[in-house]
């Protein structure tokens, strides 16, 4: 992995103030609105409070926004000719992938760090283990959505499509119980959607599987959701990449 190229890519991404706002600042702002200032923020949930529940949710939203955008843009770059340019350099494909993965995880860590810092300063409460493990799960789980971005970028070969993919995360976030608590038939349907398992798993160290409506998710459910969507995104991406090579 080329350190100079990695730093240049990081500078290019962080110079996009609009993208960084939606990735890092907006989730933290949502936490302040939905978590830090609501009357129920001190209500107990699991081994902590509602403020921490919302904090983890908003950090997860910011992290997947980052990894989706970076994964999608990486696919578009290579399909629009950047891959041929890199082929003239000593940079191997494995190094390029490692570089993009490092950048995605670094950028995804920004909203996690910012939102967790605000949470600590505004009354989010939970066990020490819940704080540490939730942060790790938020960051690690967001890598699944780098595949989602890669899938969209490969399918449509357009930066606009990648932006639209990031936009669809808002819908997934609602269905994932990130913004408002769901119940009834809508909750049952939501458990099949991509962000539900990731968010539920990230909050599991806090909630121990209990939902705001009083129901309970066994640990296997969010794990199965994450594994299933990882397999779906991965398989579809492989199919599209192979088709693209056949056309060439």
């Amino acid at each position: 992995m080329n350190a100079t190229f990695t730093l240049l890519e990081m500078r290019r991404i962080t110079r996009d103030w609009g993208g960084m706002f939606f990735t890092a600042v907006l989730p933290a702002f949502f936490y302040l609105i939905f978590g830090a200032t609501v009357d129920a923020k001190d209500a107990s949930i699991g081994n902590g409070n509602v403020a921490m529940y919302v904090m983890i949710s908003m950090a997860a939203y910011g992290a997947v926004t980052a990894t989706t955008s970076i994964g999608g843009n990486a696919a578009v770059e290579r399909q629009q000719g950047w891959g041929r340019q890199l082929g003239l350099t000593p940079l191997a494909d494995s190094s390029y992938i490692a570089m993009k993965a490092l950048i995605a995880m670094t950028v995804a860590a920004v909203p996690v760090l910012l939102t967790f810092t605000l949470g600590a300063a505004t009354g989010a409460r939970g066990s020490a283990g819940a704080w540490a493990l939730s942060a790790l799960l938020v960051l690690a789980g967001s890598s699944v959505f780098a595949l989602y971005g890669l899938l969209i970028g490969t399918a449509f070969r357009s930066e606009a499509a990648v932006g639209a993919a990031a936009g669809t995360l808002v819908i997934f976030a609602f269905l994932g119980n990130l913004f408002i608590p769901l119940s009834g038939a809508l909750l049952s349907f939501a458990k099949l959607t991509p962000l539900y398992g990731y968010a539920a798993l990230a909050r599991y160290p806090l909630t121990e599987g209990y939902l705001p409506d009083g129901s309970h998710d066994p640990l296997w459910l969010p794990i199965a959701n994450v594994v299933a969507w990882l397999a779906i995104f991965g398989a579809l991406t492989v199919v599209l990449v192979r088709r693209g090579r056949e056309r060439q």
Side-chain angles (χ1 to χ4, degrees):
M1 186 166 59
N2 188 294
T4 301
F5 192 25
T6 302
L7 288 173
L8 288 173
E9 278 289 287
M10 281 295 298
R11 289 175 185 172
R12 181 179 68 83
I13 291 170
T14 53
R15 281 200 301 265
D16 179 8
W17 292 104
M20 290 303 296
F21 173 82
F22 284 104
T23 297
V25 179
L26 190 60
F29 178 67
F30 283 162
Y31 162 70
L32 292 175
I33 293 175
F34 299 125
T37 60
V38 297
D39 293 336
K41 73 171 187 175
D42 293 321
S44 295
I45 182 167
N47 58 58
N49 62 3
V50 168
M52 185 165 177
Y53 179 95
V54 177
M55 178 195 75
I56 297 169
S57 299
M58 295 304 101
Y61 174 66
V64 297
T65 300
T67 54
T68 296
S69 297
I70 292 171
N73 285 327
V76 173
E77 285 172 3
R78 291 188 71 83
Q79 291 175 15
Q80 291 182 344
W82 186 230
R84 287 190 294 273
Q85 293 295 323
L86 292 177
L88 301 175
T89 73
L91 186 69
D93 285 345
S94 59
S95 296
Y96 178 80
I97 293 169
M99 178 196 70
K100 285 295 186 180
L102 176 61
I103 291 171
M105 290 296 99
T106 302
V107 176
V110 175
V112 178
L113 179 61
L114 180 58
T115 308
F116 271 57
T117 300
L118 283 174
T122 54
R125 188 182 74 252
S127 67
W131 278 85
L133 189 53
S134 290
L136 288 174
L137 287 170
V138 166
L139 193 57
S142 66
S143 60
V144 174
F145 289 84
L147 271 178
Y148 174 62
L150 190 62
L151 170 63
I152 299 301
T154 303
F156 298 101
R157 306 187 180 197
S158 165
E159 292 182 6
V162 175
T168 61
L169 292 177
V170 177
I171 299 172
F172 290 154
F174 274 107
L175 293 174
N177 253 359
L178 269 69
F179 293 150
I180 56 173
L182 303 177
S183 60
L186 185 58
L187 177 61
S188 298
F189 170 74
K191 292 181 181 184
L192 303 175
T193 60
L195 260 177
Y196 184 90
Y198 162 61
L201 189 60
R203 293 188 299 245
Y204 210 92
L206 170 73
T207 65
E208 298 167 354
Y210 287 96
L211 303 177
D213 68 349
S215 61
H216 181 266
D217 282 341
L219 182 57
W220 65 262
L221 192 152
I223 292 176
N225 178 284
V226 170
V227 171
W229 282 106
L230 175 62
I232 291 169
F233 292 153
L236 289 175
T237 301
V238 169
V239 169
L240 289 174
V241 168
R242 286 177 178 173
R243 286 183 179 177
R245 287 176 178 171
E246 289 172 0
R247 293 192 193 102
Q248 295 171 0

